[in-house]
Amino acid sequence: MKLTLALAQINTRLGNVPANLEKTSRLAEEARASGADLVLFPELSLTGYVLQDLAPAVSHKPSLTTMSLARC
């Protein structure tokens, strides 16, 4: 079985989950259009890397969508 991977290195905006999610989604779509089966993003790519005291501000309660993704 052939699996095509794409590696994404992105410049995140610290604490700006909506902007980082939009960028992540756009890059995932570009990778898919280029033939990628799986896209790998860095850890903390949605919240930013120097999270420290921002953790409570950017955390979200689990939703049904999040829970269903966790079961996959």
Side-chain angles (χ1 to χ4, degrees):
M1 177 178 168
K2 178 183 172 187
L3 182 66
T4 302
L5 301 176
L7 303 177
Q9 181 65 36
I10 65 173
N11 185 19
T12 58
R13 293 171 56 188
L14 180 60
N16 193 337
V17 175
N20 296 332
L21 181 58
E22 186 279 324
K23 186 183 291 187
T24 298
S25 297
R26 182 173 35 83
L27 291 173
E29 287 299 322
E30 288 177 20
R32 174 181 256 182
S34 296
D37 298 307
L38 177 66
V39 185
L40 302 173
F41 288 91
E43 62 183 341
L44 298 175
S45 62
L46 294 180
T47 57
Y49 287 92
V50 189
L51 193 54
Q52 296 175 350
D53 295 332
L54 286 178
V58 298
S59 65
H60 297 277
K61 291 183 180 179
S63 66
L64 291 177
T65 303
T66 306
M67 297 306 289
S68 65
L69 287 173
R71 290 187 200 115
C72 294

